[in-house]
């Protein structure tokens, strides 16, 4: 049966099996053969579609990780200038990057890193600027924020501005 990995912690995977199979969750481990085959990459992460064999009412074993259509990786520095890509999540549709308008101010460098990670993993990225009401339109920081938002929109990044106070 097929399922979706909801969580991966210390070699245990919470997998929601398809609705046709009851739509409940199983706690699963990877089949030993699969661990050997995939030693040089992440075995399974949240978002992966998997083939599961039930071993009891609440447990199962993952037989196969199905092809990923998108992913987010975190690049880790490694020895001698090499890097290791740590797979964080798979089969993502949209990465919404949230940053505050102020307190703390939006950090374009950090937003750029997330947008690059999204693009490399075939994920659509977008920016949500929160606390928009907390920055007065005539404040000097507001002009900088407007320029930054305009730049992201110009390169095709969808941007939404939000405020919990005003409902924006």
């Amino acid at each position: 049966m097929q399922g979706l990995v909801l969580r991966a912690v210390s070699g245990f995977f919470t997998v929601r099996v398809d609705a046709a199979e009851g739509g409940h969750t199983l706690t699963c481990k990877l089949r030993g053969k699969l661990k050997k085959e995939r030693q040089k990459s992440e075995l399974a992460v949240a978002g992966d579609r998997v083939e599961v064999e039930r071993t009891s009412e609440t447990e199962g074993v993952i037989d196969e990780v199905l092809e990923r259509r998108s992913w987010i990786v975190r690049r880790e520095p490694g020895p001698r200038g090499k890097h290791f890509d740590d797979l964080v999540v798979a089969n993502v549709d949209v990465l919404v990057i949230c940053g505050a308008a102020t307190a703390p101010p939006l950090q374009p460098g950090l937003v750029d890193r997330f947008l690059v990670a999204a693009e490399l993993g075939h994920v659509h990225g977008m920016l949500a600027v929160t606390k928009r009401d907390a920055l007065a339109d005539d404040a000097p920081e507001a002009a900088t924020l407007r320029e930054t938002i305009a730049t992201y929109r110009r390169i095709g990044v969808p941007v939404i501005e939000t405020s919990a106070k005003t409902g924006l």
Side-chain angles (χ1 to χ4, degrees), residues 21-90:
E21 300 292 335
H24 60 281
T25 60
L26 298 174
T27 300
C28 298
K29 286 185 160 187
L30 291 169
R31 187 164 304 283
K33 177 179 148 186
L34 184 61
K35 284 190 226 179
K36 288 180 184 174
E37 289 174 2
R38 298 180 64 111
Q39 281 182 346
K40 294 189 178 177
S41 69
E42 293 296 327
L43 303 171
V45 295
D48 271 329
R49 299 286 304 160
V50 293
E51 284 288 338
V52 177
E53 180 183 323
R54 184 189 306 267
T55 57
S56 75
E57 192 64 32
T58 60
E59 297 179 341
V61 64
I62 297 174
D63 290 318
E64 180 182 2
V65 177
L66 303 176
E67 186 175 350
R68 296 173 177 134
R69 61 180 165 73
S70 64
W71 52 87
I72 298 290
V73 297
R74 179 178 51 230
R75 186 157 260 199
E76 303 273 346
R80 299 187 193 117
K82 294 185 179 184
H83 294 283
F84 171 73
D85 287 339
D86 183 24
L87 187 61
V88 177
V89 66

Side-chain angles (χ1 to χ4, degrees), residues 100-153:
T102 186
L106 186 66
Q107 298 178 25
L110 186 58
V111 172
D112 293 349
R113 286 180 56 196
F114 282 117
L115 288 171
V116 168
E119 184 71 23
L120 290 173
H122 309 284
V123 177
H124 298 287
M126 69 179 296
L127 174 61
V129 180
T130 63
K131 300 182 187 177
R132 189 58 188 94
D133 61 294
L135 187 60
D137 286 337
D138 58 352
E141 301 87 9
T144 303
L145 179 64
R146 281 193 297 273
E147 289 173 21
T148 301
I149 289 172
T151 299
Y152 285 120
R153 286 185 171 140

